[in-house]
Amino acid sequence: MKVVRVFTGEDSQSHFEDIEIPLAQSSGIGSLSRLYKGPGVIFRQVDGTYDLDFHNAPRRQLVVNLQGSVEIEVGSGERRQLHSGDILVAEDTTGQGHKSRAIDGQNRDCLFIPIDDHEKFP
């Protein structure tokens, strides 16, 4: 399963990386990843005027877009749009951070799923 990662590089700027979460066939119920541990889930809703300047992720977390879209901009100026069903691994907890903004005035619903610090993604 493909996900987008945003992280802080050695230059203290945020960067994007596409990563693949390994899945293994599980008898009759489809393919599953391993269990990634974390303390809970946070539900979030923002309106269509959402526009944050550079900021850091408050913790390592998965951000799962349920409804609506967001544009993320990293330190290099590169921008990516994430839509319903897309997943972001937010790991830029230090450095410059990233910008995030609503697209086309859409409200957005998402889940923040904190990730334990020792958990590593491929």
Short mmCIF file of all heavy atoms in Angstrom, two decimals, residues 9-40:
data_model
loop_
_atom_site.label_atom_id
_atom_site.label_comp_id
_atom_site.label_asym_id
_atom_site.label_seq_id
_atom_site.Cartn_x
_atom_site.Cartn_y
_atom_site.Cartn_z
N GLY A 9 14.62 16.66 6.81
CA GLY A 9 15.91 16.21 6.29
C GLY A 9 17.06 16.80 7.09
O GLY A 9 16.87 17.59 8.01
N GLU A 10 18.28 16.41 6.70
CA GLU A 10 19.49 16.91 7.37
C GLU A 10 19.63 18.43 7.21
O GLU A 10 20.34 19.07 7.98
CB GLU A 10 20.71 16.20 6.82
CG GLU A 10 20.60 14.71 7.03
CD GLU A 10 21.86 14.10 7.58
OE1 GLU A 10 22.87 14.79 7.71
OE2 GLU A 10 21.80 12.90 7.88
N ASP A 11 18.93 19.01 6.22
CA ASP A 11 18.96 20.45 5.98
C ASP A 11 17.94 21.20 6.83
O ASP A 11 17.74 22.40 6.67
CB ASP A 11 18.73 20.75 4.50
CG ASP A 11 17.40 20.21 3.98
OD1 ASP A 11 16.63 19.60 4.77
OD2 ASP A 11 17.14 20.38 2.78
N SER A 12 17.25 20.49 7.75
CA SER A 12 16.21 21.04 8.63
C SER A 12 14.96 21.48 7.87
O SER A 12 14.13 22.19 8.42
CB SER A 12 16.74 22.19 9.50
OG SER A 12 17.69 21.69 10.41
N GLN A 13 14.84 21.11 6.61
CA GLN A 13 13.63 21.38 5.84
C GLN A 13 12.82 20.11 5.69
O GLN A 13 13.36 19.00 5.77
CB GLN A 13 13.97 21.93 4.44
CG GLN A 13 14.50 23.33 4.46
CD GLN A 13 14.53 23.93 3.05
OE1 GLN A 13 14.31 23.24 2.05
NE2 GLN A 13 14.77 25.21 2.97
N SER A 14 11.53 20.27 5.47
CA SER A 14 10.67 19.12 5.25
C SER A 14 10.78 18.66 3.80
O SER A 14 11.05 19.44 2.90
CB SER A 14 9.22 19.47 5.61
OG SER A 14 8.79 20.60 4.89
N HIS A 15 10.57 17.36 3.60
CA HIS A 15 10.65 16.73 2.28
C HIS A 15 9.56 15.67 2.17
O HIS A 15 9.07 15.16 3.18
CB HIS A 15 12.02 16.06 2.09
CG HIS A 15 13.17 16.99 2.22
ND1 HIS A 15 13.66 17.71 1.16
CD2 HIS A 15 13.92 17.33 3.28
CE1 HIS A 15 14.67 18.47 1.57
NE2 HIS A 15 14.85 18.26 2.86
N PHE A 16 9.21 15.33 0.93
CA PHE A 16 8.28 14.24 0.66
C PHE A 16 9.05 12.97 0.31
O PHE A 16 10.14 13.04 -0.25
CB PHE A 16 7.37 14.56 -0.54
CG PHE A 16 6.31 15.58 -0.27
CD1 PHE A 16 6.29 16.77 -0.98
CD2 PHE A 16 5.31 15.35 0.66
CE1 PHE A 16 5.31 17.72 -0.77
CE2 PHE A 16 4.32 16.29 0.87
CZ PHE A 16 4.31 17.47 0.17
N GLU A 17 8.43 11.84 0.60
CA GLU A 17 8.93 10.55 0.17
C GLU A 17 7.74 9.63 -0.02
O GLU A 17 6.84 9.60 0.81
CB GLU A 17 9.87 9.96 1.23
CG GLU A 17 10.38 8.58 0.91
CD GLU A 17 11.23 7.99 2.02
OE1 GLU A 17 11.03 8.32 3.21
OE2 GLU A 17 12.09 7.17 1.68
N ASP A 18 7.70 8.91 -1.13
CA ASP A 18 6.67 7.89 -1.34
C ASP A 18 7.19 6.59 -0.76
O ASP A 18 8.31 6.18 -1.08
CB ASP A 18 6.37 7.73 -2.83
CG ASP A 18 5.76 8.99 -3.43
OD1 ASP A 18 4.84 9.55 -2.81
OD2 ASP A 18 6.21 9.40 -4.51
N ILE A 19 6.39 5.96 0.09
CA ILE A 19 6.82 4.69 0.66
C ILE A 19 5.73 3.64 0.45
O ILE A 19 4.56 3.96 0.25
CB ILE A 19 7.19 4.80 2.15
CG1 ILE A 19 6.02 5.29 3.00
CG2 ILE A 19 8.39 5.71 2.35
CD1 ILE A 19 6.31 5.32 4.49
N GLU A 20 6.15 2.41 0.49
CA GLU A 20 5.25 1.27 0.31
C GLU A 20 5.18 0.54 1.64
O GLU A 20 6.20 0.14 2.20
CB GLU A 20 5.80 0.35 -0.78
CG GLU A 20 4.93 -0.82 -1.12
CD GLU A 20 3.77 -0.47 -2.05
OE1 GLU A 20 3.88 0.51 -2.81
OE2 GLU A 20 2.76 -1.19 -2.00
N ILE A 21 3.98 0.38 2.18
CA ILE A 21 3.76 -0.39 3.40
C ILE A 21 3.62 -1.85 2.98
O ILE A 21 2.71 -2.19 2.21
CB ILE A 21 2.50 0.08 4.15
CG1 ILE A 21 2.56 1.57 4.49
CG2 ILE A 21 2.26 -0.78 5.39
CD1 ILE A 21 3.67 1.97 5.42
N PRO A 22 4.52 -2.72 3.45
CA PRO A 22 4.43 -4.13 3.06
C PRO A 22 3.16 -4.79 3.60
O PRO A 22 2.76 -4.56 4.73
CB PRO A 22 5.67 -4.77 3.72
CG PRO A 22 6.55 -3.64 4.12
CD PRO A 22 5.67 -2.45 4.31
N LEU A 23 2.54 -5.59 2.75
CA LEU A 23 1.34 -6.34 3.11
C LEU A 23 1.60 -7.82 2.87
O LEU A 23 2.31 -8.18 1.93
CB LEU A 23 0.14 -5.89 2.28
CG LEU A 23 -0.25 -4.42 2.33
CD1 LEU A 23 -1.39 -4.14 1.37
CD2 LEU A 23 -0.63 -4.01 3.74
N ALA A 24 1.01 -8.66 3.68
CA ALA A 24 1.12 -10.11 3.50
C ALA A 24 -0.29 -10.69 3.44
O ALA A 24 -1.19 -10.25 4.16
CB ALA A 24 1.91 -10.73 4.64
N GLN A 25 -0.47 -11.69 2.58
CA GLN A 25 -1.76 -12.35 2.45
C GLN A 25 -2.12 -13.02 3.78
O GLN A 25 -1.29 -13.64 4.42
CB GLN A 25 -1.71 -13.40 1.33
CG GLN A 25 -3.04 -14.03 1.01
CD GLN A 25 -4.05 -13.03 0.45
OE1 GLN A 25 -3.70 -12.13 -0.29
NE2 GLN A 25 -5.30 -13.21 0.80
N SER A 26 -3.36 -12.84 4.19
CA SER A 26 -3.85 -13.45 5.42
C SER A 26 -5.05 -14.31 5.07
O SER A 26 -5.99 -13.83 4.44
CB SER A 26 -4.23 -12.37 6.43
OG SER A 26 -4.60 -12.93 7.66
N SER A 27 -5.05 -15.53 5.47
CA SER A 27 -6.02 -16.55 5.04
C SER A 27 -7.45 -16.05 4.94
O SER A 27 -8.15 -15.93 5.94
CB SER A 27 -5.95 -17.77 5.95
OG SER A 27 -6.36 -17.43 7.25
N GLY A 28 -7.86 -15.74 3.74
CA GLY A 28 -9.24 -15.42 3.44
C GLY A 28 -9.72 -14.02 3.79
O GLY A 28 -10.84 -13.66 3.48
N ILE A 29 -8.89 -13.19 4.44
CA ILE A 29 -9.37 -11.85 4.81
C ILE A 29 -8.61 -10.74 4.10
O ILE A 29 -8.68 -9.59 4.48
CB ILE A 29 -9.33 -11.62 6.34
CG1 ILE A 29 -7.90 -11.72 6.89
CG2 ILE A 29 -10.26 -12.58 7.06
CD1 ILE A 29 -7.77 -11.25 8.32
N GLY A 30 -7.87 -11.09 3.07
CA GLY A 30 -7.14 -10.08 2.32
C GLY A 30 -5.70 -9.97 2.77
O GLY A 30 -5.17 -10.85 3.43
N SER A 31 -5.07 -8.86 2.44
CA SER A 31 -3.67 -8.62 2.79
C SER A 31 -3.58 -7.62 3.93
O SER A 31 -4.29 -6.61 3.92
CB SER A 31 -2.91 -8.09 1.58
OG SER A 31 -2.93 -9.04 0.54
N LEU A 32 -2.71 -7.88 4.88
CA LEU A 32 -2.56 -7.04 6.06
C LEU A 32 -1.12 -6.61 6.24
O LEU A 32 -0.20 -7.35 5.92
CB LEU A 32 -3.00 -7.80 7.33
CG LEU A 32 -4.42 -8.33 7.38
CD1 LEU A 32 -4.61 -9.19 8.63
CD2 LEU A 32 -5.42 -7.19 7.38
N SER A 33 -0.92 -5.42 6.82
CA SER A 33 0.41 -4.99 7.24
C SER A 33 0.66 -5.56 8.64
O SER A 33 -0.24 -6.12 9.27
CB SER A 33 0.51 -3.47 7.29
OG SER A 33 -0.15 -2.96 8.43
N ARG A 34 1.85 -5.35 9.13
CA ARG A 34 2.10 -5.68 10.53
C ARG A 34 1.39 -4.65 11.40
O ARG A 34 0.91 -3.62 10.89
CB ARG A 34 3.60 -5.70 10.82
CG ARG A 34 4.25 -4.31 10.80
CD ARG A 34 5.69 -4.41 11.27
NE ARG A 34 6.37 -3.15 11.34
CZ ARG A 34 6.29 -2.29 12.37
NH1 ARG A 34 5.53 -2.55 13.40
NH2 ARG A 34 6.97 -1.16 12.35
N LEU A 35 1.31 -4.87 12.68
CA LEU A 35 0.68 -3.94 13.61
C LEU A 35 1.65 -2.82 13.93
O LEU A 35 2.78 -3.06 14.38
CB LEU A 35 0.27 -4.66 14.90
CG LEU A 35 -0.26 -3.76 16.02
CD1 LEU A 35 -1.58 -3.12 15.61
CD2 LEU A 35 -0.43 -4.58 17.30
N TYR A 36 1.25 -1.59 13.68
CA TYR A 36 2.01 -0.41 14.09
C TYR A 36 1.37 0.11 15.37
O TYR A 36 0.17 0.39 15.39
CB TYR A 36 1.99 0.67 13.00
CG TYR A 36 2.75 0.29 11.76
CD1 TYR A 36 2.11 -0.36 10.71
CD2 TYR A 36 4.10 0.57 11.65
CE1 TYR A 36 2.81 -0.73 9.57
CE2 TYR A 36 4.81 0.21 10.50
CZ TYR A 36 4.16 -0.44 9.47
OH TYR A 36 4.86 -0.79 8.35
N LYS A 37 2.15 0.25 16.43
CA LYS A 37 1.59 0.61 17.73
C LYS A 37 1.52 2.12 17.91
O LYS A 37 2.38 2.86 17.45
CB LYS A 37 2.42 -0.02 18.83
CG LYS A 37 2.34 -1.53 18.81
CD LYS A 37 3.13 -2.14 19.93
CE LYS A 37 3.03 -3.65 19.84
NZ LYS A 37 3.80 -4.29 20.89
N GLY A 38 0.47 2.56 18.61
CA GLY A 38 0.28 3.96 18.94
C GLY A 38 -0.73 4.10 20.06
O GLY A 38 -1.44 3.14 20.39
N PRO A 39 -0.84 5.29 20.64
CA PRO A 39 -1.68 5.47 21.82
C PRO A 39 -3.17 5.72 21.58
O PRO A 39 -3.94 5.70 22.52
CB PRO A 39 -1.06 6.69 22.50
CG PRO A 39 -0.47 7.48 21.38
CD PRO A 39 0.01 6.44 20.39
N GLY A 40 -3.61 5.96 20.36
CA GLY A 40 -5.03 6.23 20.16
C GLY A 40 -5.31 6.88 18.82
O GLY A 40 -4.48 6.87 17.93
#
